[in-house]
Amino acid sequence: MKLRELSTDILILGAGGAGLFAALHAHKADPALRIAVAVKGLLGKCGCTRMVQGGYNVALAQEDSIERHFMDTIEGGKWLPDQDLAWKLVTLAVERIHELENELGCFFDRNPDGTVHQKAFAGQTFDRTVHKGDLTGIEIINRLAEQVWARKIDRLEEFRAVELIKDRSGAAVAGVLFIDMRTGEYALVRAKAVLLATGGGPTMYKYHTPSGDKTCDGLAMALRAGLPLRDMEMVQFHPTGLYAGTHTRMTGTVLEEGLRGAGGHLLNGAKERFMPKYDSKAERATRDFVSRAMYAEMRAGRTSPNGGLYISMRHLDRKLVEGQFRGMVERCADCGFDLAGGLVEVVPTAHYMMGGVEFAADCSTMLKGLFVAGEDAGGVHGANRLGGNGVANSTVFGAVAGDVMAEWVSKEGLRESDTAAVERAIAACEPRISKSHGSLEPLREKLYETMWRKVGIIRDAAGLGSALSDLDAMERELLETGIPDTDRAFSLTWHDWLNLKSLVQVSRAIAEAALARTDSRGAHFREDFPNTGPLASSAFTSLTQAGNKLEIRMKPVAFSRVRPGESLLARHP
Ligand SMILES: Cc1cc2nc3c(=O)[nH]c(=O)nc-3n(C[C@H](O)[C@H](O)[C@H](O)COP(=O)(O)OP(=O)(O)OC[C@H]3O[C@@H](n4cnc5c(N)ncnc54)[C@H](O)[C@@H]3O)c2cc1C
C-alpha cells in the first residue's frame, strides 16, 4: 500500500468559514508558520458557508446590544447552550463582521444613511442579520478564498480526511490520514496542531440542505478517536425546503428564513394558513416550532397533491419580493415556481446539527493538539440554532482557533504517529472487493427513510429503538457490499461507500442521544415525553464511543452568566 507522507505546523480540515478564518488568523499571527488547508472539494467551492443565504447575526445597531443577542441565543437554545461559548459568539461576532467588511473586502447591503442593513430573522427580538441580498455566503467565501490564495498557505484539495492519527502514547494527535481523491492514494499528514472544521451536516435525512461533500466525516472521526460529542439529538430542520419532486437534487434545498421574516405565509394543501393555530408568532416562530407544525399538517394528510405544503409571498409587494430575494426568485423559477406571485411547494428539511465535539472557548478539545470550530463543534447553540448564528459561529470560532493554534504550535514539536493505527485506519477504509458493483443506492434510500420517519421531527422510544436496529442492519449490509477493485482515482463508488459509513455511524449517535433525552426541547421533540423538563436542572447529552458501543451521560449545564428565569437585559437594559 502506497502511503505518501507530508508534514506541516497547522493542519486545517475543511475550507468553510471556520477553516478559512483559522488559516488567515494563524497566518496573520505568524506568517512563517507552515499552514495547510485540506478539503474534500475545491477551496472556495464547497461546504455550507458558501450556501449561506440569509446572513450573519451581530449586534451592531445602537438600539441592539450583545446582551440582547446573547439572551436570544440562550432562550432560543432552550437553556442548553454553554454560556461561555455563546458569550464568545455574540461578542466576537462584532469584531468578525468589521474584519469581513474592512479587512477582507465583503460588501454587505446598506441603508440609505450608510449604516449596514440588518434584516429580521425568526426567533430574534431585534432585526440583526447582516446580509448581501440573499447570497451572503458567496460574498463571504469568495473574499476569504481570495485572501487565502494570496498567501503562502498550502492547499490540499480533493483531499479527504479519513482518520485522526494519534501519537504512540495515544494522548495526542500526531496527524491525519487522507485519501487523495485525485489519485486514490493514501497520504499521512503529520502536524503539530489539527483543526477539525469539516462542518457536520445532517445529510442522512431524506430532505436535507447541506452541500453534498458533507457526510459527517469529522464527527465520525472524532467518535472513533474517543472524543465526547454533545447535543447530538439536536438536529435542526429548516421549515422551508424546496419541494420540486424526487427527480431533482433541488428538493430539500433551502428557501431562506427571511421569506417568513418579510411576511411570507405557510399554507396547507387546502391553501389555508395554518401557523397562527400553532403559535402566536405564526410564521416568525423559531424553526423547531414551524417545522413541527408543518410535519403535523403533513401527518394529518393536509398536503399538496405531491405531499408537501406551500409558501406564499403573493400578498406582498411583488417588486419588494423580487428585489429583496432575487436568488430565491431565480431558484424557484428554475424549478417552475413563481415565488413573488404564486405558490411554492415546501417541506421541512434537515439543515444543521447543533451537536458536535465538546470543546473549550479556546477551541481546544480533550485530545491534545486537536482543535475544533464551526459546525463540527457542539455547545454554542444548545437545543436550537438561531438563523444567522451559524456563519457567525464558524467565523468567530475559526478565528479563535487560528489565533490559539498559532501560539500553541510555537511551543510544540511534531509527534511520531502510531503506525499500527495508520494500518488499521487504512484497512477500515478498504471495502470488500467484488467482481460486480453492489448497489449503494437502496442502502442510501433506506438510511434517508429511517432517519426521516424514525429519528426526524417527531420522535418516540419505539421509533428510535427500531431505527437503531435498522442502522445496525445497514452497517452490516454496507460492510458486505463490495466494490470492484478498479482504478481508485476519483472513485465515486468508493467515496459513496465511505460517506455512508460516516453517516450510519453518526446517525446512530443521533438516535442514541435522542433516546437518552426524555424530555422535549428545541429541535428535539418526543411524542412520548412532550414536556420540557425543569430548566434549572438542564443537562446535555454527552456521548462517547468505546469500541463499537456508545456510552451516554447527562451532564449538567453550568449557568455561568445567567440562570433560567433571569435575564442579562435586566442588568443591561
Ligand atoms: C443552504 C444553507 C443556507 C444557510 N444559511 C445560513 C444563514 O443564512 N445564516 C447562517 O448563520 N447560517 C446559515 N447556514 C449554516 C452555515 O452555512 C453553517 O453554519 C456554517 O457555514 C458552517 O461553517 P463550517 O466552516 O463549519 O462548515 P462548512 O462551511 O460547511 O465547511 C466544511 C468544509 O469541510 C470540508 N470537508 C467535509 N468533510 C471533509 C473531509 N472528510 N476531509 C476534508 N474536508 C472535508 C468541506 O468540503 C467544506 O470545505 C446555512 C446552511 C445551508 C446549508
Side-chain angles (χ1 to χ4, degrees), residues 14-18 38-41 46-49 51-55 121 159-161 197-199 209-210 213-214 217 254 351-352 374-375 385 388-391 394:
V39 48
K40 201 170 173 184
C46 58
C48 288
T49 308
M51 299 167 82
V52 165
Q53 300 168 352
F121 248 25
F159 224 66
R160 176 186 190 146
T198 64
T209 66
D213 48 318
K214 299 218 299 191
D217 295 345
V254 89
H351 187 47
Y352 188 91
E375 209 174 318
R385 172 184 70 91
N389 267 2
V391 62
S394 60

Side-chain angles (χ1 to χ4, degrees), residues 1-6 159 162 176-180 182-189 422-423 425-427 429-430 487-489 494:
M1 185 67 59
K2 263 204 214 150
L3 180 68
R4 231 164 95 198
E5 286 209 20
L6 307 163
F159 224 66
V162 287
V176 176
L177 181 71
F178 288 90
I179 294 170
D180 179 343
R182 294 173 181 175
T183 62
E185 287 169 351
Y186 289 98
L188 177 68
V189 182
V422 175
E423 282 162 21
I426 291 177
C429 288
E430 289 293 312
D487 189 359
R488 290 289 179 87
W494 185 27

